[in-house]
């Protein structure tokens, strides 16, 4: 099984000039198989505003150079402090289940080191200088959005060993051009961290996360940058009820074009409501 990835790839030609081209590649292997539970979660209604607030940035677990906005509790603002890298963790640490959240980070506000990932409660939240702080030690795992690299325990990585490329289908002269938003997928039952961009599953970035309590985290260096987190939803590890699985099959059979016309189907209203998560 596999999937086709389409997006924007930047490559550098022999003259050193960047060029942009669309990419469409079929990816195969276990790391690129989009988990069925993820599709089920994304088909569910998004979390309520109250739930999103419970899973938002933690104003009490941050570098002193960032603050959660009073008028938007899902967004933090970083002060323009020079030679400083600053982090903030989410309020909730996850130990079980599948959890998905969206990070909105405008590309023009990322600067030289913009890293998104997860961390334990022990991970550092501040560092002098500009660095990829998330993933620098054994307590955090991060994706550098500008360098397309994965970091974990980077301080102890041998100098002769480069950080893994992500997405891993990139050629040496290519970089993945990210839009303003990306989706983070943490599966604590499988112990994996993955990412999605524009609805495209980019594959497993990290494994071996079982048995930990992990929080959403980002590290930023750009002055006045604002980064938002929006919890999409979560699934418990227990098997889903047969009724929920049947609803998923019915919605798949309808397809994207007809999913919004359930009310026109010759079905009892109770069943229509159930198919629409009402």
């Amino acid at each position: 099984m596999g999937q086709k990835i389409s997006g924007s790839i930047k490559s550098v030609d022999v003259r050193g000039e960047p060029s942009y081209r669309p990419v469409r590649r079929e990816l195969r292997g276990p790391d690129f198989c989009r988990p069925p539970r993820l599709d089920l979660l994304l088909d569910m209604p998004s979390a309520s505003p109250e739930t999103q607030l419970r899973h938002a940035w933690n104003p009490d677990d941050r570098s002193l150079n960032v603050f959660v906005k009073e008028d938007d509790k899902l967004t933090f603002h970083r002060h323009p402090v020079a030679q400083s890298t600053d982090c903030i963790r989410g309020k909730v640490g996850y130990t079980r289940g599948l959890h998905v959240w969206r990070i909105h980070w405008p590309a023009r506000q990322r600067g030289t080191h913009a890293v998104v990932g997860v961390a334990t409660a022990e991970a550092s939240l501040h560092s002098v200088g500009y660095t990829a702080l998330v993933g620098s030690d054994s307590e955090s795992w991060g994706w550098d959005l500008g360098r397309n690299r994965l970091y974990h325990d980077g301080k102890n990585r041998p100098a002769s060993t480069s950080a893994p490329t992500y997405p891993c289908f990139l050629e040496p002269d290519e970089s993945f051009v990210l839009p303003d938003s990306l989706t983070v997928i943490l599966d604590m039952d499988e112990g994996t961290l993955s990412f999605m961009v524009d609805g495209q599953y980019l594959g497993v970035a990290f494994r071996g996360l079982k048995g930990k309590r992990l929080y959403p985290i980002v590290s930023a260096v750009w002055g006045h940058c604002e980064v938002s987190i929006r919890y999409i939803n979560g699934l418990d590890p227990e098997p889903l009820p047969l009724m929920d699985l049947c609803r998923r099959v019915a919605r798949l059979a309808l397809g994207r074009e007809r999913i919004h016309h359930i009310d026109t189907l010759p079905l009892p209203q109770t069943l229509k409501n159930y198919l629409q998560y009402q």
Side-chain angles (χ1 to χ4, degrees):
M1 295 179 64
Q3 65 160 334
K4 291 184 178 179
I5 292 288
S6 60
S8 180
I9 291 290
K10 180 175 71 174
S11 60
V12 180
D13 63 21
V14 293
R15 297 167 298 175
E17 298 177 355
S19 61
Y20 294 85
R21 58 184 174 83
V23 62
R24 188 169 183 82
R25 299 169 182 167
E26 189 164 0
L27 306 177
R28 297 185 178 275
D31 282 353
F32 295 110
C33 292
R34 184 161 161 159
R37 291 176 72 225
L38 173 60
D39 285 329
L40 183 62
L41 184 151
L42 294 176
D43 187 55
M44 297 164 56
S46 295
S48 67
E50 294 77 18
T51 300
Q52 291 177 13
L53 281 175
R54 287 200 301 270
H55 294 260
W57 299 125
N58 190 343
D60 300 318
D61 196 10
R62 59 181 173 84
S63 163
L64 295 180
N65 294 328
V66 304
F67 65 91
V68 176
K69 299 180 67 175
E70 283 295 329
D71 59 345
D72 182 1
K73 300 294 187 180
L74 304 181
T75 302
F76 79 80
H77 183 103
R78 180 183 178 274
H79 293 297
V81 180
Q83 292 300 316
S84 176
T85 302
D86 306 288
C87 297
I88 186 170
R89 265 184 289 260
K91 293 178 181 177
V92 179
Y94 307 110
T95 59
R96 63 197 296 269
L98 175 67
H99 302 274
V100 179
W101 61 91
R102 183 169 293 115
I103 297 291
H104 180 79
W105 193 340
R108 66 182 183 277
Q109 296 182 12
R110 292 175 187 162
T112 57
H113 296 79
V115 190
V116 174
V118 295
T120 69
E122 287 72 42
S124 176
L125 297 177
H126 174 260
S127 177
V128 175
Y130 301 134
T131 185
L133 186 52
V134 175
S136 64
D137 58 22
S138 61
E139 302 296 330
S140 58
W141 296 256
W143 179 22
D144 188 319
L145 306 184
R147 292 172 177 80
N148 303 130
R149 296 285 183 176
L150 297 176
Y151 298 125
H152 171 60
D153 204 13
K155 291 187 293 188
N156 295 318
R157 187 177 63 248
S160 59
T161 305
S162 60
T165 299
Y166 187 85
C168 67
F169 59 76
L170 293 176
E171 299 295 337
D173 64 338
E174 296 176 337
S175 62
F176 193 73
V177 182
L178 280 157
D180 289 345
S181 296
L182 64 146
T183 302
V184 186
I185 304 143
L186 179 64
D187 190 337
M188 292 306 297
D189 304 319
E190 294 294 328
T192 61
L193 179 67
S194 310
F195 298 91
M196 285 178 57
V197 173
D198 286 338
Q200 300 289 343
Y201 182 71
L202 299 181
V204 174
F206 295 100
R207 293 187 179 276
L209 305 180
K210 278 186 179 181
K212 307 178 187 299
R213 180 179 295 275
L214 298 177
Y215 300 77
I217 193 172
V218 301
S219 63
V221 299
W222 187 265
H224 294 303
C225 73
E226 294 192 344
V227 183
S228 302
I229 184 172
R230 189 174 299 277
Y231 186 73
I232 296 176
N233 225 320
L235 278 177
D236 291 331
E238 291 77 15
L240 289 167
L242 182 58
M243 286 180 62
D244 289 356
L245 295 175
C246 290
R247 173 169 52 192
R248 171 63 178 158
V249 171
R251 288 174 63 89
L252 280 174
L254 286 168
R256 292 184 177 181
E257 294 182 359
R258 296 187 296 169
I259 197 67
H260 301 296
H261 300 286
I262 291 177
D263 280 331
T264 65
L265 297 175
L267 297 172
Q269 188 61 46
T270 302
L271 186 53
K272 293 181 185 179
N273 292 343
Y274 186 72
L275 289 175
Q276 297 177 90
Y277 289 94
Q278 296 177 356

